[in-house]
Amino acid sequence: MKRLLTLGKEFIVPLIVVGGIILFGIFHISNLVALANTIILTVVFLGSYGMFKETIITLSKKQFALDYIAILAIVTAIITGEYLVAAILALMVSGGRNLEGYGVSLAKKSLTALVDRIPSDITLWKGNKPEGKEKISNIPIGTEIFIRKGEVIGLDGILLSSASEIDESSLTGEPYFIEKVKGDVIRSGTVNIGQPIVIKVTSIEKDSTYRKIIDMVKQAQNEKSPMVRLADQYSTVFTLVTLAVAGFAYLISNFDLSRVLAVLAVATPCPLIIATPIALLGGVNASAKRKIIVKRLEALEVLSRVNTVLFDKTGTITFGIPKLIQVLIENNHYTKTRILSIAEAIERNSLHPLAKAIISEARQIKAKILSATHINETIGNGISGVVEGKRYTLSKINSTQEDTSIELTENEKRIAIFRFEDEVKKESKETIKNLINHGLHLKILTGDKEKAALKVVQRLGSQIEINAECTPEDKRKEIENLKSKNKIIAMVGDGINDAPALALADVGLVFSNQEQTAASEAADIVFLGGNFSMVLQSLTIAKRTITIARQSILWGIGLSTLAMCFASVGIIPPIIGAALQEAIDIAVILNALRASK
């Protein structure tokens, strides 16, 4: 019932027009012709007022208005005394506009859900207890806030509680929960699934991670894309064709305006105007469901035409996180498990990426947990600590391998060597293969050594061109070179060093969990998470969206043109023509809504 009331409110003007048409019929049958005509002309004015106003504003800006045919049809209907036809046309105009708005709201549904997730106010933490609430927009940096179990976290901050468990899937797309400890960064938009926690706010609401995502979405919603302008061009041609057919009908009917009215009625309103924005916003909606945020609507149109895709390697095709691949033991008094226990005890106190790899491996093989004391870490040199009375040191070594290596020593005597490499994402191989099968030219631009890049290509199992040891400037020059060859380029990256290339490419796509980075600002499309298959998903959605948009344009024009031909020779009368055009409008709108799925 609530949904019906909401729908009725959205279509209030068309409902008034329908009521007026019913009253017209009643009074006309009762021979109250003057009253009937007054009512019908009133609802014609109400139904078409918005169109006339918008057309005048458009013309005042010296732009092409899209409703010439609708205006001409209504005026012709009034001149010829076909008031009922004029009312039906006014109903189509008002109904079409409201239907467009309703279709757009459906296309934006999942995007609106992004905004609705964030709480409007937050519980404050004062005197070691929750105390009162404050509007999220009024909370300054440094405020301590209280988050209950199951609550969405509204602001970025630092965890003050000893530990917590956070669901970050809304930002990263990863289906698992993240354990956090005191001092860890907590991001807005995530959900506290553990015990109640206290956070110290580090950014105000408008600068928070989740607000950045919402702002990207709103920017995409409000932008007029090239496909909408393409619809404008089709509309100009369609208007000229309609006038030509109407002129033909006027001549062959011995200057019968009712025949002209039939042609104009069946061509009003132009369905492509309604369907195109719905299809495009549907594509944005379909992307958002997959954690793909389209910052600019035009990116979908450009992405559908891309023939060359350039990739950064680290953090894009690979995880960008080192993985321990080998432990070489050089002292037979130590086992692998014992070595990992010692290394893990020391590395637990470090934030270095290699430390995380060692800790992960040690816990995976369930190595004994030891404690380390007297920790001493020197950035760039290594970390040392005392484990069971002996001081051990982990430090980087010069290796002939292409992989990163560190050594574990006791009193400067080497015990073991740890070798690491950047792991290729499991979905990268299949995604690259599918992109090649789609006929796209692929190329890796990386700052790594050529041998390291070649190893990654070997693991992908596909032949891809490589430009190794690239600086940001090198990437920029390569894009300029490809553009000079008329290539349409998509650049896929993840870091600040990719920002110049992302901005210069025809369309930039970035993997980012921190939406305020320079890379995210430079990109057109942002992937919330690191799943490499999002590249293929975004391309597929873009192509499907533009295909549906074009279908809606061409089918709308084709059906209307066919109906106009029948109307021009007297087969379709004005009233039937008006009803038929409404059916065409509904058909193309339903087709355009497919882009949301």
Side-chain angles (χ1 to χ4, degrees), residues 146-150 161 163-166 192-198:
F146 180 71
I147 309 295
R148 294 180 174 84
K149 183 176 182 178
S161 302
S164 68
E165 195 170 16
I166 303 295
N192 176 32
I193 60 171
Q195 295 304 310
I197 56 175
V198 178

Side-chain angles (χ1 to χ4, degrees), residues 35 68 108 185 248 319 333 409 450 452 486:
L35 180 58
Y68 291 137
K108 291 180 178 180
V185 172
F248 172 75
F319 283 104
H333 291 96
T409 60
E450 186 171 3
N486 297 319

Side-chain angles (χ1 to χ4, degrees), residues 184 347-356 359 377 379 383:
D184 280 352
E347 294 285 29
R348 279 205 309 271
N349 301 279
S350 174
L351 296 177
H352 196 280
L354 298 182
K356 294 180 181 179
I359 294 168
E377 183 172 19
I379 302 300
I383 185 171

Side-chain angles (χ1 to χ4, degrees), residues 312-327:
D312 173 52
K313 180 181 73 68
T314 307
T316 302
I317 294 174
T318 67
F319 283 104
I321 301 172
K323 181 180 180 181
L324 181 61
I325 60 169
Q326 189 176 25
V327 179

Side-chain angles (χ1 to χ4, degrees), residues 353-386:
L354 298 182
K356 294 180 181 179
I358 289 175
I359 294 168
S360 176
E361 181 67 18
R363 292 181 178 176
Q364 186 172 337
I365 69 170
K366 297 182 180 180
K368 183 179 178 181
I369 297 177
L370 302 176
S371 297
T373 59
H374 301 90
I375 301 296
N376 181 24
E377 183 172 19
T378 305
I379 302 300
N381 291 326
I383 185 171
S384 65
V386 176

Side-chain angles (χ1 to χ4, degrees), residues 538-550:
S538 62
L539 282 159
T540 302
I541 289 170
K543 287 181 180 296
R544 183 173 184 271
T545 297
I546 302 308
T547 297
I548 290 173
R550 285 202 175 98

Side-chain angles (χ1 to χ4, degrees), residues 98-108 278 281 589 593 596:
N98 286 81
L99 194 58
E100 177 187 358
Y102 183 64
V104 168
S105 69
L106 288 179
K108 291 180 178 180
I278 293 176
L281 283 167
I589 286 171
L593 282 172
S596 293

